[in-house]
Amino acid sequence: MSDYLLILHQGDSSVTRPEDHQALRNNFFSWTDGLRKSGKLLLVERLGTDWGKTVRRRDGVVVVDGPFTEGKEGIVGLFVIDARDLDEAVAIALTCPLVAIGGFVQVRAGVQADG
């Protein structure tokens, strides 16, 4: 087994109705609980609603609002999971509720979880 980092991106998803937002939250709680009960979840961190800042050095220091690339594809959460291999980690990422509404999950191998 190996550790994998799942980086959850908001993508172009847009949940505006309160009932849709609550349904998404419930789906996330169920998904997270399922990962925890299966022994796959090692660490989860939900990021706050303040998008923070991005710092880059290009002919001086540039600080801009948020962790944005193109559009508002901000990172909204981090999960460290235990998976047999990359294929299993990708399969788990595909079950993330955010993927169903236009978000996406980046899967990175070789994470060392402390804790």
Side-chain angles (χ1 to χ4, degrees):
M1 296 298 242
S2 298
D3 296 348
Y4 291 86
L5 175 64
L6 304 183
I7 305 169
L8 282 59
H9 293 260
Q10 180 176 329
D12 59 2
S13 63
S14 177
V15 177
T16 55
R17 296 183 328 164
E19 58 270 23
D20 292 340
H21 182 70
Q22 187 59 47
L24 179 61
R25 285 177 50 92
N26 291 342
N27 289 342
F28 260 104
F29 290 140
S30 294
W31 183 66
T32 302
D33 191 48
L35 288 174
R36 186 175 288 114
K37 286 179 179 176
S38 71
K40 299 289 184 188
L41 184 64
L42 302 177
L43 174 73
V44 61
E45 291 295 333
R46 179 183 172 273
L47 301 180
T49 56
D50 178 0
W51 286 105
K53 302 287 183 192
T54 297
V55 178
R56 295 183 179 168
R57 184 176 298 274
R58 289 188 191 148
D59 298 324
V61 176
V62 177
V63 178
V64 296
D65 287 336
F68 309 125
T69 53
E70 298 297 320
K72 294 199 174 197
E73 298 178 344
I75 297 171
V76 295
L78 305 169
F79 284 68
V80 177
I81 61 167
D82 187 33
R84 204 173 33 255
D85 54 27
L86 182 59
D87 289 337
E88 183 182 26
V90 168
I92 291 169
L94 283 170
T95 65
C96 175
L98 197 60
V99 172
I101 62 163
F104 60 97
V105 178
Q106 181 182 6
V107 180
R108 300 288 302 267
V111 175
Q112 296 296 320
D114 292 332

